[in-house]
Structures are given as structure tokens and as C-alpha cells.
Amino acid sequence: MTVWCLHLHLQGPIATPLHSGTLFGHLCWAHRLMKGEDSLIRWLKALPESPWLISDAFPAGCLPRPLLAPERLPRQAPEEDKAAFTERLQKAKKQKKQSWISVRDFLALREGLSGEALNWRLADADEQTAANGKVVSYHQPHNTIHRLTGTTPETGGLYFMEERWHGKGAEKLDVYLQAPDASTEQLRHLFATIGEQGFGRDASLGRGRFSVEAIDTADSTLFQYTGNRLLSLSHGSLTSNMRAPRYKLHVHYGKLGGLFAGGVRSPFKRPLLLLKPGATFEPAGEEPFGEWLSDVHPDHPEIGHHAWHLCLPYTETEVH
């Protein structure tokens, strides 16, 4: 099945990270805007049989660092003095904090991936991988406006919200999408609509704007491979067909948008516990992995959350 790679170009800061489930929620609103609510309902009903699998947005040319079996502890070589050994340990510690691996490095390692091989490869990471370091987070100050007086309270009215600015070279993002029966033009219109309206929080203030630079079919060698484990590119749930998982957890505090953002009902969804991209596991059943989560809002039973995984196969070698 075709997997698309969408190349996005951020036009400014973003206040909400481009996670897979949130991206899919925006696709739903764009679909509704383009084709109407009845079409959206039919599309959502068909999803369990042919789900759209979508990744998070990653720095261009990068993938999340896979979670691998713990490697052997470094040992001081006989001819190595203590200072050199300490420096090597500090360098290894720094490498472990690196969140991304380039597509090129992943393809080079996928047939025998291990923690040691990954650290060795990341020691010589290219500039594209390092571009993620140009993303800077700021705390934007806001004022609380009293609804009766229309003024800011003298105390307790100031609060801060985080937003991310992508520097030159880091404003380009890739999103992978496996979308049955989708066309390039359909995907372009959906994502262009999201980019024009703005993604996530503070879109009315210009946050989350992006353009669609190009839509390509993803490198066929990236997804067509048979290995013993899978690397998740999405924020998804843990299901019974995912054996021996390694993962980091993310608590998702979702919020309704569009027509449901206002009114008397709360816009806030129930918190969800999801796996972060970079999670790895052994396939123990048929695809898809993860699931469509329902009952995520107390007042809107029709609303769900996209928690499926788009995965890359690879072979992990055992550590002795």
C-alpha cells in the first residue's frame, strides 16, 4: 500500500506540537469543511476497515530514535587514561539524548540495529539531523481579561504559555501517511487547508501556519522490509498485537476545536495515555497496531481519538 511523504514548511511559530492524533483531528475538520459533515461521518465509519495511518511531523529527513535493548556498559580500555575514558562517557551520554536519526542512517542500520551500532552512527550525525537543535521554546506571556470589567486583574492575571520557534533549516517537516484510496490532490487540499487556518492553539494569532511544499510517495525501501521488530512513528496506544514493547509514555490532554471549542459544554477531552514515537515492538498479529479510542469526551460520545501506529520494520540484533 502506498505511503505518502508530505513535506511541510512552517511559516511561523507553533503552539501545539504536530502529533499524529492531533493532525488527524485537523484532517477531520478539513474534510468536513471541504465535503460536509455527512461525508465526514461516512469516512470515519469506514476507518476501522481501512484506517489512515499517520505519523507525527519530524524534522525533514529524520525519524524518531528507536528504543532498543540496553547496550553493554562502556569499559575503560587498558591503554586509555581516566580523562579520555571520562570524555568518552560524556560523549556517549550526549548521544543518548539525541532524539532523531536520519532516514539514511536508519536504512544503513536496519538490518542489524543495536544500541552500540546506533551510538556509533550518531557520533557522526549529519547536519540535517542536527538541525533539530535550532528549535527554541519560549514562554509567551498572556493576560487574563475579567469578563465583567474587561480589564486585567491587579493580581494573578498574568500567565505564560509555551510555543516553539523553528530556526532556519528546522522549519521544514516531514509527515508520513498511509491513506487507502487517497490521491495526491486530495491530500494537498486537506493539508493546505490546515496550514492556511493554522494548527492547534492560538491559530487565530498566527500560530501553526504552514505550506505544503511537495507530496511524494515515501521511499519504497523504507516501509517494504521484513524484520523482527517495528518502529512506531506515531503517538498511539498499546494493543495486544504488540509484543515485547519498549516505549516512553505521553499523557495527551486533548481539546475540542472548531464548532465544539465554545458553548456550554467543556472543550476538554479525557486525558489519554499514549506511546511516544520511537516505541518499538514485535508484531504479534495482523495490522493495524494501536486502535481508535472512543469515549474520550464526557459529553460527545461520537468523538474519538486516532491512536493507530504507522510503523517501520527493522531487524534488531541481540546484545551478548
Side-chain angles (χ1 to χ4, degrees):
M1 187 175 294
T2 301
V3 179
W4 308 88
C5 182
L6 296 98
H7 306 284
L8 310 181
H9 191 154
L10 291 174
Q11 305 298 317
I14 55 175
T16 300
L18 283 82
H19 292 175
S20 56
T22 314
L23 269 170
F24 185 80
H26 281 70
L27 284 176
C28 290
W29 281 111
H31 186 109
R32 184 183 184 279
L33 182 64
M34 292 168 53
K35 297 186 177 182
E37 187 165 343
D38 291 341
S39 177
L40 172 62
I41 292 173
R42 289 194 299 272
W43 181 45
L44 292 176
K45 284 184 177 179
L47 275 183
E49 300 299 327
S50 55
W52 282 30
L53 305 182
I54 187 170
S55 75
D56 280 29
F58 306 125
C62 294
L63 298 170
R65 177 183 179 135
L67 285 170
L68 306 172
E71 63 266 32
R72 290 172 296 188
L73 294 175
R75 295 181 179 179
Q76 186 173 358
E79 69 281 3
E80 189 178 32
D81 59 31
K82 186 175 181 180
F85 179 57
T86 302
E87 183 180 354
R88 185 159 62 89
L89 288 179
Q90 291 175 341
K91 188 176 181 181
K93 185 177 180 181
K94 184 178 179 181
Q95 289 168 0
K96 286 185 177 180
K97 294 180 179 179
Q98 192 161 327
S99 303
W100 310 107
I101 178 174
S102 70
V103 173
R104 184 187 63 183
D105 288 343
F106 177 79
L107 290 174
L109 295 171
R110 76 181 318 174
E111 295 184 3
L113 195 53
S114 68
E116 291 180 340
L118 181 61
N119 289 334
W120 176 81
R121 192 83 184 190
L122 291 180
D124 191 29
D126 58 23
E127 294 181 357
Q128 194 173 36
T129 306
N132 182 56
K134 297 179 181 177
V135 180
V136 180
S137 295
Y138 287 98
H139 286 89
Q140 178 71 26
H142 295 267
N143 279 328
T144 301
I145 305 298
H146 196 287
R147 292 187 178 183
L148 298 180
T149 64
T151 61
T152 303
E154 292 186 3
T155 59
L158 183 66
Y159 65 97
F160 296 85
M161 300 291 285
E162 184 180 14
E163 62 182 34
R164 295 160 60 89
W165 290 73
H166 290 236
K168 186 177 182 181
E171 73 277 19
K172 295 184 178 181
L173 304 173
D174 289 343
V175 175
Y176 294 92
L177 177 63
Q178 181 177 301
D181 303 326
S183 66
T184 303
E185 283 307 306
Q186 180 187 6
L187 297 178
R188 187 183 299 279
H189 287 156
L190 286 171
F191 277 85
T193 300
I194 298 171
E196 290 170 1
Q197 295 189 342
F199 180 88
R201 178 171 57 83
D202 291 341
S204 60
L205 301 179
R207 306 297 185 262
R209 302 295 173 90
F210 60 79
S211 60
V212 181
E213 282 200 333
I215 300 178
D216 302 322
T217 54
D219 184 351
S220 59
T221 59
L222 196 55
F223 289 87
Q224 296 176 7
Y225 175 78
T226 301
N228 58 7
R229 291 182 69 83
L230 296 174
L231 164 66
S232 171
L233 306 182
S234 316
H235 276 78
S237 61
L238 181 63
T239 49
S240 58
N241 58 351
M242 302 164 64
R243 185 168 54 198
R246 302 190 192 99
Y247 55 85
K248 292 182 180 179
L249 292 173
H250 167 77
V251 182
H252 176 76
Y253 296 97
K255 185 180 178 182
L256 301 180
L259 301 175
F260 297 112
V264 295
R265 295 178 177 176
S266 169
F268 298 102
K269 300 179 184 178
R270 295 188 171 96
L272 303 175
L273 198 59
L274 304 174
L275 313 189
K276 292 182 177 180
T280 61
F281 59 90
E282 294 177 11
E286 297 295 325
E287 298 184 20
F289 303 99
E291 59 193 327
W292 176 262
L293 298 175
S294 56
D295 193 26
V296 300
H297 191 279
D299 300 321
H300 293 284
E302 73 279 16
I303 293 176
H305 185 83
H306 185 291
W308 282 302
H309 297 269
L310 179 61
C311 301
L312 292 178
Y314 72 95
T315 298
E316 185 169 337
T317 56
E318 296 182 1
V319 177
H320 300 285

